[in-house]
């Protein structure tokens, strides 16, 4: 038997219930922003590399993306409130392990795996719990509050994470998450559970494996693409018939996705409950909204990975200074999401027009950022471009969620919500992996080219350096590079030249990453016609 639905009317629609659900959404969202501004400290404290931390960020969102649909179905089986509680326990365990991590493996287990699994159980239940606790006309306001909590986390995350990391240690953020999760869990009895429709559904294990395999293969392909090559295999890298592992993994992901759709149809024809109703795969508005949400999140995640990395490593800013530098983007985001987008809606703008306006704003912002780093890569030069970037992201926030939810009947809202969070986390994984790999590729090509053109080295030294750089390239600060060069036989003049080459290479890499964001924004703009002009 599942959880008995509570009937206490006092529990429904109270400020306490909304506060608990908003707190859960806030904690789920703030993690990645804190990690992004703390990259340099994590690298130092865990004696690891930027690439290893990038992998942790990617794995966190990958775990959520691959298990989100299954997490939603577990909520149907065990009851939403019980699943919500189990997710909080798992998430708190992961945060605790992360807080005491002494190496990157513990970070992978605590943050990437356990926190990812906990979030996959918590997030799909939020929509159902809001619906069961806030009936009728109060429901839209409750959903708006949940969305505001996510926006607040994105806004405050860099600043909170930067201040705590600089003044104390990043570990305190994760220790605080343990306390917050325990508090939500203890107080969650006031939350009314969402009633189950009909009998308890069975869990589709095959469908869960197929859906996880599809997204896992695609994200791993993106992550390894810089080393393996996209189509033709790089020298010394795994290949089959000369084709890189990247393409084979993408093919495996596509085939797994097709298998998932086919399997879902087969189960439904047999009268068995699939993870996702097969009819949703033919819903054009739903599919269009999911595609656009994936692209939107890819652009946002890639940008929010590249900029903090550049600020902390290339510009030498502390985590708190990085958070302050990103503050204009946060201000632009919150102002645009809360006021500008609402003003446009009142003036009759539909989701297609608002999303287009947001994407055009992001496009302009990336061009301004490229111009700023070309002229003067300083915090002051970044203020206006970052504000414009935030304004564009703010216009996008929330629009696609409305498109997705309005595309399905109420009884399919949980399934659509699972797909929505899956698309969001898949986009986040791809954004971090793709932009991260392109940053490394840009850094490699720039430094190798500059070394080959440098007058202060012999050709033999240039060739050896080029091979070493291509095989072991990393984003390193001037201080780290100085420390490493002091242990070599390089002359003071050669060391100075290598420092200048590394500084220019980092700027070239960021320019390469931002140019990719610009291209992705243009591609996404071309597909906005899949969105409806108006919502019924």
């Amino acid at each position: 038997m599942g959880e008995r639905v509570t009937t206490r009317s006092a529990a429904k629609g109270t400020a306490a219930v909304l506060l608990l659900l908003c707190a859960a959404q806030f904690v789920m969202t703030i993690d990645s922003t804190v990690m992004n501004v703390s990259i340099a400290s994590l690298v130092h404290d865990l004696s690891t590399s930027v690439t290893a931390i990038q992998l942790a960020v990617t794995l966190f969102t990958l775990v959520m993306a691959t298990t989100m649909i299954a997490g939603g179905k577990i909520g149907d089986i065990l009851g939403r409130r019980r699943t919500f509680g189990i997710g909080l326990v798992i998430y708190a365990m992961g945060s605790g392990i992360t807080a005491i991590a002494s190496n990157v493996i513990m970070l992978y287990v605590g943050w990437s795996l356990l926190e990812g699994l906990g979030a996959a159980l918590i997030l799909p239940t939020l929509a159902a719990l809001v619906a069961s606790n806030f009936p009728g006309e109060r429901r839209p306001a409750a959903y708006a509050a949940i969305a505001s909590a996510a926006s607040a986390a994105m806004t405050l995350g860099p600043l909170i994470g930067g201040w705590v990391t600089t003044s104390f240690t990043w570990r305190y953020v994760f220790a605080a998450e343990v306390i917050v999760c325990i508090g939500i869990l203890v107080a969650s009895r006031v939350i009314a559970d969402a009633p189950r429709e009909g009998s308890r559904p069975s869990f589709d294990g095959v469908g869960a494996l197929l859906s996880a395999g599809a997204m896992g293969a695609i994200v791993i392909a993106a992550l390894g693409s810089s080393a393996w090559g996209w189509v033709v295999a790089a020298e010394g890298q795994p290949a089959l018939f000369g084709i890189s592992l990247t393409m084979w993994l993408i093919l495996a992901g596509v085939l797994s996705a097709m298998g998932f759709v086919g399997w879902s149809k087969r189960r439904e024809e047999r009268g068995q409950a699939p993870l996702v109703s097969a009819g949703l795969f033919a819903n054009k508005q739903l599919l269009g909204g999911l595609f656009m949400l994936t692209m939107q999140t890819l652009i946002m995640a890639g940008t929010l990975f590249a900029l903090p990395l550049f600020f902390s490593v290339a510009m030498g800013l502390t985590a708190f200074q990085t958070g302050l530098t990103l503050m204009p983007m946060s201000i632009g985001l919150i102002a645009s999401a809360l006021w500008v987008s609402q003003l446009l809606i009142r003036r009759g703008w539909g989701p297609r027009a608002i999303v287009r306006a947001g994407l055009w704003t992001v496009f302009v912002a990336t061009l301004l950022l490229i111009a700023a780093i070309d002229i003067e890569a300083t915090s002051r030069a970044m203020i206006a471009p970052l504000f414009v970037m935030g304004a564009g992201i703010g216009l996008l926030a929330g629009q696609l969620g409305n498109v997705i939810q309005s595309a399905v009947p109420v009884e399919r809202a949980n399934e659509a919500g699972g797909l929505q969070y899956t698309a969001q986390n898949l986009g986040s994984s791809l954004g971090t992996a793709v932009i991260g790999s392109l940053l490394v590729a840009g850094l490699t090509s720039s430094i190798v080219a500059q070394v080959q053109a440098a007058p202060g080295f012999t050709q033999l030294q240039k060739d050896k350096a080029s091979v070493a750089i291509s095989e072991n390239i990393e984003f390193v600060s001037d201080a780290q590079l100085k420390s490493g060069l002091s242990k070599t036989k390089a002359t003071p003049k050669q060391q100075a030249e290598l420092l200048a080459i590394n500084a220019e290479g980092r700027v070239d890499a960021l320019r390469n990453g931002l140019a990719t964001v610009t291209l992705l924004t243009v591609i996404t703009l071309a597909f906005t016609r899949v969105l409806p002009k108006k919502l019924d």
Side-chain angles (χ1 to χ4, degrees), residues 235-310:
E235 184 176 353
Q237 296 298 323
L240 184 60
F241 305 119
I243 304 299
S244 73
L245 186 58
T246 303
M247 290 305 298
W248 289 113
L249 283 171
I250 291 174
L251 177 61
V254 172
L255 291 176
S256 294
M258 293 172 63
F260 174 63
V261 174
W263 176 257
S264 298
K265 291 179 179 178
R266 184 178 178 185
R267 278 184 66 88
E268 214 160 40
E269 289 170 356
R270 291 178 173 180
Q272 299 171 314
L275 282 183
V276 177
S277 174
L280 296 184
F281 298 119
N283 188 318
K284 292 183 179 180
Q285 179 177 321
L286 175 65
L287 294 179
L290 291 172
F291 171 77
M292 292 296 297
L293 181 63
T294 302
M295 293 299 296
Q296 170 197 315
T297 313
L298 191 159
I299 291 168
M300 289 172 56
T303 302
L304 289 173
F305 178 82
L307 291 177
L309 176 62
F310 182 80

Side-chain angles (χ1 to χ4, degrees), residues 121-211:
L121 293 174
I122 293 168
L123 290 173
T125 62
L126 277 172
L129 290 174
V130 169
S132 64
N133 285 269
F134 298 91
E137 67 281 358
R138 288 186 292 175
R139 191 173 298 166
Y143 278 121
I146 298 295
S148 296
S151 298
M154 291 180 62
T155 302
L156 299 175
L159 198 57
I160 292 173
W163 174 69
V164 173
T165 300
T166 302
S167 303
F168 307 101
T169 170
W170 54 269
R171 299 178 188 277
Y172 286 179
V173 175
F174 295 95
E177 287 184 355
V178 177
I179 298 172
V180 173
C181 286
I182 292 174
I184 296 172
L185 181 64
V186 171
S188 63
R189 292 182 62 84
V190 302
I191 301 175
D193 194 18
R196 179 185 297 118
E197 299 293 336
S199 60
R200 175 187 294 185
S202 60
F203 185 75
D204 179 11
V206 174
L209 289 174
L210 287 171
S211 63

Side-chain angles (χ1 to χ4, degrees), residues 76-136:
D76 289 338
I77 297 171
L78 299 181
R80 274 70 169 193
R81 193 176 70 180
R82 179 180 296 170
T83 303
F84 183 74
I86 293 171
L88 286 169
V89 171
I90 296 173
Y91 196 91
M93 290 173 57
S95 296
I97 292 173
T98 303
I100 62 173
S102 58
N103 54 60
V104 74
I105 300 300
M106 291 183 69
L107 184 70
Y108 291 157
V109 173
W111 193 64
S112 304
L113 179 60
L114 291 180
E115 288 195 37
L117 290 174
L121 293 174
I122 293 168
L123 290 173
T125 62
L126 277 172
L129 290 174
V130 169
S132 64
N133 285 269
F134 298 91

Side-chain angles (χ1 to χ4, degrees), residues 132-467:
S132 64
N133 285 269
F134 298 91
E137 67 281 358
R138 288 186 292 175
R139 191 173 298 166
Y143 278 121
I146 298 295
S148 296
S151 298
M154 291 180 62
T155 302
L156 299 175
L159 198 57
I160 292 173
W163 174 69
V164 173
T165 300
T166 302
S167 303
F168 307 101
T169 170
W170 54 269
R171 299 178 188 277
Y172 286 179
V173 175
F174 295 95
E177 287 184 355
V178 177
I179 298 172
V180 173
C181 286
I182 292 174
I184 296 172
L185 181 64
V186 171
S188 63
R189 292 182 62 84
V190 302
I191 301 175
D193 194 18
R196 179 185 297 118
E197 299 293 336
S199 60
R200 175 187 294 185
S202 60
F203 185 75
D204 179 11
V206 174
L209 289 174
L210 287 171
S211 63
M215 284 171 287
I218 292 172
V219 173
I220 292 171
L223 183 63
S225 61
S226 60
W228 301 330
W230 279 98
V231 180
V232 179
E235 184 176 353
Q237 296 298 323
L240 184 60
F241 305 119
I243 304 299
S244 73
L245 186 58
T246 303
M247 290 305 298
W248 289 113
L249 283 171
I250 291 174
L251 177 61
V254 172
L255 291 176
S256 294
M258 293 172 63
F260 174 63
V261 174
W263 176 257
S264 298
K265 291 179 179 178
R266 184 178 178 185
R267 278 184 66 88
E268 214 160 40
E269 289 170 356
R270 291 178 173 180
Q272 299 171 314
L275 282 183
V276 177
S277 174
L280 296 184
F281 298 119
N283 188 318
K284 292 183 179 180
Q285 179 177 321
L286 175 65
L287 294 179
L290 291 172
F291 171 77
M292 292 296 297
L293 181 63
T294 302
M295 293 299 296
Q296 170 197 315
T297 313
L298 191 159
I299 291 168
M300 289 172 56
T303 302
L304 289 173
F305 178 82
L307 291 177
L309 176 62
F310 182 80
F311 294 154
S312 61
V313 176
M315 295 174 61
L317 302 182
T318 65
F320 182 62
Q321 289 171 332
T322 297
L324 285 177
T325 302
L326 290 170
M327 200 61 182
M329 180 161 61
S330 303
I331 294 172
L333 188 154
I334 204 75
S336 181
L338 293 182
W339 296 304
V340 179
S341 62
Q342 296 304 309
L343 176 63
L344 294 177
I345 290 172
R346 287 196 294 270
R347 295 198 172 190
W349 286 46
R352 184 191 296 181
I354 295 176
V355 168
R356 281 178 174 171
L359 288 170
W360 276 117
T361 306
V362 170
F363 174 80
V364 171
T366 55
L367 295 181
L368 291 174
L369 281 170
I370 291 172
I373 63 172
D374 282 341
I375 297 171
E376 183 185 17
T378 64
S379 299
R380 181 178 298 179
M382 300 290 178
I383 293 175
L386 287 173
F387 180 84
V388 176
M389 176 67 74
I393 294 173
L395 285 175
L396 298 173
Q399 296 302 315
L400 297 176
N402 287 334
V403 170
I404 291 168
Q405 290 297 330
S406 67
V408 299
V410 175
E411 59 269 20
R412 297 296 182 193
N414 291 330
E415 294 172 76
L419 290 173
Q420 177 179 333
Y421 278 113
T422 299
Q424 188 171 313
N425 286 288
L426 178 60
S428 184
S429 296
L430 287 171
T432 304
V434 170
I435 301 301
S437 64
L438 287 171
L439 284 174
V440 172
L443 183 67
T444 302
S445 62
S446 176
I447 292 181
V448 168
Q450 290 184 76
V451 166
Q452 287 294 331
F457 300 89
T458 66
Q459 189 58 48
L460 180 60
Q461 289 174 322
K462 293 178 181 180
D463 292 341
K464 287 183 177 180
S466 296
V467 172

